[in-house]
Amino acid sequence: MLGRAWRRAGLGARLFVAIGLVILAGAATALLVAVLVAPPVFRHHLESVGVTADSPVASHIDRGFTIALLTAVAAAVVAASAVAALVAVVVARRISRPVGTAAAAAGRLADGDYSTRVQPRAMGPELDELARSVNALAVRLESAERRRLDLMTDLAHELRTPLATLEATVEALVDGVLPLDRTTLQTLIDQTGRLTRLTHDLPAVSRSDEHAFRLDRRDADLGALVATVVATHRARYDAAGVTLTSDAPDPLATWVDPDRVLEVLDQLLDNALRHTDAGGAVTVSLRRDGDRALVRVADSGEGFDPDAAEAVFERFQRGPGSEGTGVGLTIARSLAEAHGGTLTAASPGPGRGAVLTLVLPVSHPSGSR
């Protein structure tokens, strides 16, 4: 019964009981020490002034001293215990209140109230850190929920067009309005392919929103990575009639996840090809700038308004006639930022090409190996 009640007791009650046990232990120790030490010391003092143990008055003095000692100690213990109990109540409440507030805030966060915040009460670094941690968690959850809602809104918008096209095409086939020919089948294939690409890209988009990419960093030659990507894409560029050149002559050691960097470079070259017509050119260059490595992918394609440079990295943002899902550059930027780098875009204007610049750290932080 007592064990069940103790398990159900709050932090304040537990603190009060713990402090009470300390008070009782201290009082019992003080009483025991007084009883064991005071009488011999007092008798020794009597003997030093000529009152021996066999003296008739010695027993009365000894009994009187014992009674006075026990009464004084008992009164002192009661008074000290009362004061200590009062202090224990105040301390237990002051300590348990911020903890209870933090627990209640965590409960509201669990219920979806991400506007919850805890005010630090200057009760020491540990309790202040608890309040800051709960607030940081609230901010993170609020941001994640906002991104989730934005993603769902954007996804619903992106799904609407291919689904509407599929629905209209199938209804037209059923009603006999459209013939079941190669053009109609190609329309169905294109739209289902778009839906497939969306489903494949969604996990990466979610990770990019949360900045939750896992990196396996190690020393890697960025020049070799650029050469690998250029070699991989050259056949596609040749088939599209776009000239692909590379200017990365020297090895350049970097502290990166090679696989993730290859993903970024793949996205940049794929994006450049999709926005460059036959007869155009794309140049990939690599150079070192202090403790940074810069990879520039410059194309002679359709370009964009200089004021819209940030828009190219928005989720599901696609250029006219683009067949992509519009998430490649979004993912690429998140991967660059996960490395402690950046990915930026620039263009002198529509029809005048564009330049995407990937910046990565050259060396790894001390001790990160």
Side-chain angles (χ1 to χ4, degrees):
M1 187 70 177
L2 289 176
R4 191 179 308 150
W6 175 252
R7 286 192 296 270
R8 284 201 295 251
L11 177 62
R14 288 169 179 261
L15 284 173
F16 179 77
V17 171
I19 295 173
L21 291 176
V22 172
I23 295 171
L24 290 178
T29 302
L31 181 61
L32 180 62
V33 170
V35 170
L36 293 177
V37 174
V41 172
F42 183 70
R43 292 192 192 99
H44 177 72
H45 178 71
L46 290 180
E47 290 176 358
S48 65
V49 295
V51 181
T52 60
D54 55 358
S55 173
V57 74
S59 60
H60 296 286
I61 294 176
D62 189 56
R63 186 164 49 257
F65 172 77
T66 302
I67 294 173
L69 174 65
L70 293 178
T71 302
V73 171
V77 166
V78 171
S81 298
V83 173
L86 181 61
V87 173
V89 170
V90 175
V91 171
R93 285 184 177 178
R94 283 185 61 81
I95 293 178
S96 63
R97 187 171 299 168
V99 175
T101 301
R108 291 195 296 272
L109 289 175
D111 292 336
D113 182 7
Y114 302 129
S115 63
T116 299
R117 297 293 184 273
V118 178
Q119 183 66 34
R121 298 182 178 272
M123 287 294 296
E126 294 83 3
L127 293 178
D128 288 348
E129 181 61 28
L130 174 63
R132 285 191 293 268
S133 298
V134 171
N135 291 339
L137 175 63
V139 171
R140 183 74 180 270
L141 290 174
E142 187 175 29
S143 178
E145 178 66 9
R146 184 169 58 251
R147 287 194 297 267
R148 185 187 69 83
L149 294 176
D150 290 343
L151 177 61
M152 292 299 102
T153 301
D154 293 343
L155 179 60
H157 176 75
E158 287 300 309
L159 291 175
R160 192 175 297 120
T161 299
L163 288 176
T165 302
L166 286 171
E167 183 181 16
T169 303
V170 171
E171 288 180 354
L173 285 172
V174 172
D175 295 339
V177 176
L178 286 177
L180 188 59
D181 56 11
R182 188 179 188 86
T183 301
T184 303
L185 291 176
Q186 188 60 48
T187 299
L188 294 175
I189 291 172
D190 289 344
Q191 298 307 314
T192 54
R194 184 175 173 184
L195 290 174
T196 300
R197 289 192 297 272
L198 276 172
T199 58
H200 286 168
D201 287 340
L202 275 178
V205 173
S206 178
R207 287 195 299 272
S208 70
D209 276 355
E210 294 295 328
H211 301 285
F213 290 109
R214 292 185 178 180
L215 301 181
D216 180 17
R217 292 176 182 257
R218 54 186 182 271
D219 287 320
D221 180 5
L222 188 56
L225 297 179
V226 170
T228 298
V229 171
V230 169
T232 302
H233 285 262
R234 190 170 297 283
R236 292 181 59 214
Y237 272 73
D238 291 343
V242 178
T243 302
L244 177 61
T245 58
S246 174
D247 180 18
D250 300 324
L252 180 54
T254 52
W255 181 248
V256 296
D257 182 333
D259 294 332
R260 293 299 193 181
V261 171
L262 287 174
E263 287 183 39
V264 176
L265 297 175
D266 272 330
Q267 292 288 0
L268 298 185
L269 288 181
D270 182 67
N271 176 78
L273 180 59
R274 283 190 282 107
H275 294 284
T276 305
D277 295 331
V282 174
T283 301
V284 183
S285 61
L286 170 64
R287 67 182 179 88
R288 178 168 181 164
D289 180 18
D291 60 351
R292 305 181 306 162
L294 279 66
V295 180
R296 298 174 73 252
V297 178
D299 64 65
S300 60
E302 61 193 36
F304 50 84
D305 190 312
D307 295 332
E310 286 300 307
V312 302
F313 297 104
E314 292 180 2
R315 194 169 47 221
F316 303 123
Q317 180 71 23
R318 293 191 301 273
S322 174
E323 295 180 357
T325 56
V327 299
L329 292 182
T330 304
I331 298 170
R333 170 174 271 191
S334 292
L335 284 171
E337 292 174 347
H339 281 86
T342 60
L343 179 61
T344 57
S347 174
R352 301 173 62 184
V355 178
L356 276 80
T357 304
L358 171 66
V359 179
L360 294 172
V362 170
S363 59
H364 60 81
S366 177
S368 63
R369 290 179 185 236

